[in-house]
Amino acid sequence: MGISVINVQRDIILDAVRNTARGEWKVLVIDEATKKLIDNVVKEDDILNENVTNIEQIEHRRPVNKDMDAVYILSPLPHIVDCLMADFQRRRYRKSHLVWTALLEAPERRRIDSSQSAREQIGEFKTLSVDFFPRESHLITFRDPWSFPVLFHPACNHLVRGHMHELTKKIVSICISLGEYPSIRYYRPKNPSHEASVLSTHLARFVQEELDAYAQYHEDFPAPSNRPRGALFITDRSMDLYSPLIHEFTYQAMAHDLLPIKEGDKVLYKTVIKQGEPDEEEKEMEIGEKDKIWVENRHRHMKDTIEKLMEDFQKFIDENPHFTNTSADANSLNAIKDMLAGLPQFQELKESYSLHLNMAQECMNIFQKHKLPDIASVEQTLATGLDEDYRKPKNLADDLVRLLDDENVAPTDRLRLILLYTLYRDGLLQGDTLKLLAHAQLPPQDEEIIQNLELLGARVHKPLKDSKPPPQPLFGKKQAPTTATEEYALSRFEPSLKLMLECHVKGTLDQSVFPFTKPQLDAPDGASGLDNQSQASLRSAKPTWARGRLSSIEPRQRIIIFMAGGATYAEARSCYEISKSSSRDVFLATSHMVTPSLFLRQVSDLSADKRRLDIPAERPKPRAPQHLFEPEPAPKPTAQAAPPPRPKVPPTAAMASMTLSPGRTPSNGGKGSGPPPVPKKQDKKDKKDEKKKRHFFSHKKE
């Protein structure tokens, strides 16, 4: 699907290593944060192939290497600058070439510029703008789940400005890496009731100012291109509270919702491989872009995913009949798993199929056991406001209470239903909320989670006589499809992000809800005007006829969406779908990916004591390791070489004078075998001193 942001960042990093200290053998020095950035997209062998002798971490103990240049790829953090200054003070390398992952703040830059030793040793100084983590070809995260409480917790107001400054730098880094100087639009709620309603407005303004400043100081940005000018949308979690709560039945979203998938530097799932074999084992397997089966199926409905797995496996069997039991038929998940046991020659393929077959089967087991079809039917009606026939729903409260009373429905699913019903009704009487919690047999403290939705713009409680009209949906309701099966009836809901993108593509996006940051960019249809100009036309006055033959191949516009407060996998899928249907490249960027369980926990934390959340911004600032400032240990004196041992001479003379007769004196005057002579007093003293010395050294501790 066109460009991949993973490859974009990988090429930027490798080009920096290749073109810095070009032609010289060099050491690459990184820090803990840049190590994670680099490991995410670049293999170590690819770096070592660029004339790099070894990779060192600046916080670790390292040898002095004054005969070789060093290329530093560093985070622009104060304690990392401290580590760097310690290296300059020690003159650790011959020449130092500095590459920063983001713009270095002015105070830290002045520290370096004012240092005599730094000026003498610095060869190059550049900024890459790569401070973000591409997770998929069109999905970027900042790996920062703490962004949610900082932005929405009432006690974190003093942290918001600094955090938005950090978000601004990362969003601008994405634009620079993609070569985009986009028009910027942001989400502005119609009738806001929560304090964080201005979040997107302020963030969009900060990003616009930062991009303008970058373009002012970089005349070559953006690079000339006949690609239409990109678009950047700044929005936040409050735009769509249904998406993090609803059950999704596409493979990726369903798996992350139902299965214990471990999120970290890598996405891991523990499964059993070589099942039924003597060497059966439990193994954590990575789920990512390298897994072709995952990439191909992650956005498919689970029903289609299972069918595709069976179809692909049957195709493999047909192409390799000599490896399998030809009488078997891959018509069920269990049949395929049995056949996999007979494929020892295809270990990697076996493990990949085993992983996804186990995940799909476990998802379907939970789907049936916890009555997800019945739950999803009610959820879809609550989220869309329409029943399966696309009509106004009837008896919805009765259906809800029946599910809340069902012991097969998991407690978290009951809470999700109550939250969705609260959103659907635009608030409930407080007594009704407590009754629903009692039906669901949920603890009273779960009412705090419902109450905390107000911090995200939801209306939770309303008076008995409520004269307020029901809120209008952000986007109009869709018409009923011509054909719909029972499986897909449970997937009627579409995230607001997808509807926003569809309106943008059509040019019908409401400018009162999604205004531009610069009024002069406004166009009547929301998508014409400067949005459709090429990037080159921003800096040059070349007429459109001067573009030449390149315009015969229509380039794809790039759209970047930043979702503050976390994005869902349904929203990520929507970006791929719009990319495919509109011939555009749509990238989703967010602080972190949100699953329903994580969303419930984070909303619950909005009323918790802030100190319990362990927000990184309030932790003690990291400091450079003390060992970097300690003097180098003096070189150990080399031990004096012992004289070479004398060559042993065979005792031929002594052997010739030996006798077996006792008491005989040798004829040549040699010593006989009689009693040894008594040593003199001086000899005793010498031997005593020697013994003391041996005794001292033999007990010396290592």
Side-chain angles (χ1 to χ4, degrees):
M1 190 192 295
I3 189 175
S4 166
V5 71
I6 294 176
N7 294 336
V8 167
Q9 193 183 71
R10 177 182 180 275
D11 292 343
I12 291 173
I13 292 172
L14 286 179
D15 285 346
V17 176
R18 182 183 305 119
N19 296 321
T20 306
R22 193 177 183 89
E24 297 283 344
W25 285 100
K26 52 212 171 191
V27 176
L28 178 63
V29 184
I30 57 179
D31 59 54
E32 184 180 2
T34 56
K35 183 180 188 303
K36 292 180 179 180
L37 281 175
I38 294 171
D39 287 349
N40 186 55
V41 294
V42 184
K43 295 179 181 177
E44 185 175 320
D45 286 347
D46 293 336
I47 292 176
L48 295 176
N49 288 337
E50 301 295 344
N51 280 15
V52 174
T53 58
N54 61 306
I55 303 173
E56 300 176 352
Q57 193 164 320
I58 196 168
E59 301 98 333
H60 294 173
R61 295 183 184 272
R62 292 162 287 135
V64 173
N65 194 343
K66 297 188 177 183
D67 297 326
M68 191 168 291
D69 285 6
V71 176
Y72 290 83
I73 300 183
L74 301 176
S75 309
L77 302 173
H79 75 285
I80 296 300
V81 175
D82 290 341
C83 297
L84 179 65
M85 299 302 286
D87 276 9
F88 288 147
Q89 193 68 30
R90 189 159 290 174
R91 298 186 178 270
R92 191 178 292 275
Y93 304 103
R94 181 176 62 191
K95 207 73 174 173
S96 299
H97 307 275
L98 307 185
V99 180
W100 302 94
T101 57
L103 188 65
L104 191 65
E105 296 290 344
E108 308 305 327
R109 180 63 188 263
R110 284 196 294 269
R111 282 183 62 195
I112 296 174
D113 291 344
S114 61
S115 168
Q116 178 68 27
S117 59
R119 291 197 302 270
E120 292 172 355
Q121 295 173 66
I122 293 176
E124 298 179 56
F125 195 109
K126 62 178 74 170
T127 303
L128 291 188
S129 299
V130 290
D131 190 16
F132 55 88
F133 292 92
R135 177 162 171 160
E136 298 174 6
S137 63
H138 288 62
L139 176 61
I140 300 162
T141 74
F142 300 156
R143 294 184 182 176
D144 185 13
W146 290 276
S147 181
F148 183 88
V150 169
L151 294 175
F152 295 107
H153 196 296
C156 290
N157 287 345
H158 64 292
L159 301 175
V160 171
R161 186 172 186 85
H163 183 62
M164 292 183 74
H165 178 61
E166 292 299 316
L167 291 177
T168 298
K169 292 196 296 183
K170 293 176 187 293
I171 296 168
V172 170
S173 289
I174 295 171
C175 296
I176 295 171
S177 294
L178 291 173
E180 292 294 332
Y181 190 7
S183 60
I184 301 176
R185 302 179 74 168
Y186 58 94
Y187 171 56
R188 184 172 64 188
K190 288 183 178 178
N191 300 301
S193 60
H194 59 300
E195 190 176 0
S197 62
V198 295
L199 190 161
S200 296
T201 303
H202 289 315
L203 187 56
R205 178 169 56 84
F206 294 159
V207 172
Q208 185 70 69
E209 292 171 355
E210 192 79 11
L211 268 173
D212 290 346
Y214 184 87
Q216 181 181 353
Y217 290 102
H218 296 80
E219 291 294 325
D220 57 343
F221 175 80
S225 169
N226 64 334
R227 184 174 64 247
R229 188 182 188 187
L232 170 64
F233 289 89
I234 305 288
T235 182
D236 63 80
R237 187 67 271 156
S238 68
M239 185 177 81
D240 186 352
L241 297 179
Y242 288 100
S243 189
L245 294 170
I246 205 162
H247 280 89
E248 261 271 332
F249 298 122
T250 50
Y251 182 29
Q252 183 183 41
M254 189 176 185
H256 279 275
D257 183 5
L258 304 182
L259 302 181
I261 294 175
K262 187 186 297 184
E263 294 269 358
D265 293 345
K266 295 181 179 180
V267 182
L268 303 171
Y269 181 69
K270 187 178 289 186
T271 187
V272 177
I273 61 172
K274 303 178 183 178
Q275 198 165 6
E277 301 179 34
D279 54 348
E280 173 182 313
E281 64 173 315
E282 198 174 45
K283 181 180 179 182
E284 280 192 336
M285 296 188 65
E286 183 179 356
I287 305 171
E289 293 297 286
K290 299 174 186 175
D291 186 341
K292 293 181 180 179
I293 296 177
W294 172 255
V295 171
E296 188 176 354
N297 291 284
R298 64 187 170 201
H299 298 140
R300 284 196 172 101
H301 191 280
M302 181 58 82
K303 174 178 175 291
D304 298 331
T305 298
I306 293 173
E307 289 177 356
K308 187 70 166 64
L309 285 172
M310 293 179 176
E311 177 187 325
D312 290 348
F313 193 73
Q314 186 65 55
K315 182 180 178 182
F316 171 79
I317 292 172
D318 294 340
E319 293 174 353
N320 301 274
H322 50 295
F323 290 127
T324 58
N325 180 4
T326 54
S327 63
D329 184 24
N331 57 5
S332 72
L333 293 179
N334 286 329
I336 294 177
K337 290 168 75 173
D338 291 340
M339 296 169 75
L340 280 171
L343 296 174
Q345 296 87 348
F346 297 92
Q347 186 60 38
E348 188 175 344
L349 177 70
K350 280 177 61 177
E351 291 187 0
S352 185
Y353 267 109
S354 294
L355 169 67
H356 295 292
L357 290 169
N358 288 341
M359 288 174 63
Q361 189 172 54
E362 186 62 27
C363 284
M364 295 312 297
N365 291 342
I366 297 172
F367 181 79
Q368 298 297 337
K369 180 180 179 181
H370 293 294
K371 292 196 170 184
L372 292 192
D374 296 338
I375 294 172
S377 178
V378 174
E379 285 180 346
Q380 292 291 318
T381 301
L382 294 172
T384 61
L386 301 171
D387 63 13
E388 294 181 6
D389 297 322
Y390 285 81
R391 297 173 182 169
K392 188 175 180 179
K394 298 178 180 179
N395 305 318
L396 191 54
D398 294 339
D399 294 338
L400 174 69
V401 171
R402 189 180 68 255
L403 286 172
L404 296 180
D405 289 337
D406 193 328
E407 61 181 13
N408 291 317
V409 177
T412 53
D413 289 340
R414 298 175 206 167
L415 180 58
R416 287 162 70 172
L417 282 168
I418 295 174
L419 289 167
L420 287 167
Y421 187 65
T422 303
L423 294 172
Y424 167 74
R425 293 292 303 272
D426 190 36
L428 300 170
L429 298 175
Q430 189 165 8
D432 290 345
T433 300
L434 294 175
K435 288 178 183 177
L436 291 175
L437 288 171
H439 268 291
Q441 298 181 21
L442 295 174
Q445 54 263 36
D446 279 355
E447 187 187 3
E448 284 189 7
I449 300 178
I450 302 171
Q451 185 68 41
N452 289 345
L453 284 180
E454 288 191 343
L455 298 171
L456 296 170
R459 189 185 185 204
V460 172
H461 296 307
K462 59 183 178 183
L464 183 60
K465 294 182 179 180
D466 183 25
S467 59
K468 184 179 179 181
Q472 294 300 311
L474 193 57
F475 301 96
K477 295 180 180 179
K478 284 197 166 186
Q479 298 296 320
T482 53
T483 59
T485 62
E486 182 180 353
E487 292 87 355
Y488 298 108
L490 301 180
S491 302
R492 305 191 307 276
F493 169 76
E494 291 181 327
S496 295
L497 183 145
K498 182 177 183 180
L499 301 177
M500 178 193 75
L501 286 170
E502 288 177 342
C503 290
H504 167 73
V505 170
K506 294 175 185 175
T508 59
L509 191 59
D510 188 350
Q511 291 190 40
S512 66
V513 182
F514 295 94
F516 289 91
T517 52
K518 291 189 174 181
Q520 65 268 26
L521 294 180
D522 291 1
D525 62 357
S528 60
L530 289 182
D531 262 3
N532 287 335
Q533 289 187 14
S534 71
Q535 301 250 31
S537 65
L538 295 172
R539 290 201 180 276
S540 65
K542 289 184 179 179
T544 54
W545 53 261
R547 295 179 186 173
R549 296 183 180 179
L550 285 176
S551 51
S552 62
I553 305 173
E554 192 63 34
R556 296 165 67 96
Q557 184 192 31
R558 293 175 181 171
I559 303 171
I560 304 165
I561 300 104
F562 177 72
M563 176 70 77
T568 67
Y569 290 99
E571 290 163 340
R573 169 180 53 81
S574 299
C575 291
Y576 286 93
E577 291 172 346
I578 297 298
S579 293
K580 186 176 181 180
S581 64
S582 68
S583 296
R584 287 167 169 82
D585 281 312
V586 183
F587 300 91
L588 175 61
T590 186
S591 55
H592 63 295
M593 297 307 294
V594 174
T595 61
S597 59
L598 175 60
F599 183 69
L600 291 178
R601 188 166 73 247
Q602 291 196 312
V603 172
S604 175
D605 287 341
L606 294 181
S607 55
D609 187 336
K610 176 173 62 70
R611 292 170 295 182
R612 189 173 64 82
L613 303 182
D614 189 30
I615 296 174
E618 297 200 316
R619 295 174 189 166
K621 299 298 181 185
R623 302 179 65 180
Q626 188 59 38
H627 66 79
L628 293 176
F629 306 97
E630 296 171 354
E632 286 287 333
K636 295 181 179 179
T638 56
Q640 190 173 356
R646 296 179 180 178
K648 294 184 178 179
V649 180
T652 51
M655 290 176 66
S657 62
M658 287 178 67
T659 175
L660 298 177
S661 302
R664 286 187 59 184
T665 305
S667 58
N668 61 354
K671 292 181 180 178
S673 58
V678 179
K680 298 178 181 178
K681 290 184 179 180
Q682 185 64 32
D683 292 342
K684 284 185 178 181
K685 185 180 179 183
D686 292 343
K687 288 191 176 182
K688 189 176 181 181
D689 292 343
E690 184 181 354
K691 185 177 180 181
K692 283 184 179 179
K693 291 179 182 178
R694 285 204 303 269
H695 182 74
F696 173 78
F697 285 108
S698 63
H699 284 72
K700 183 179 179 181
K701 293 184 179 179
E702 294 295 332

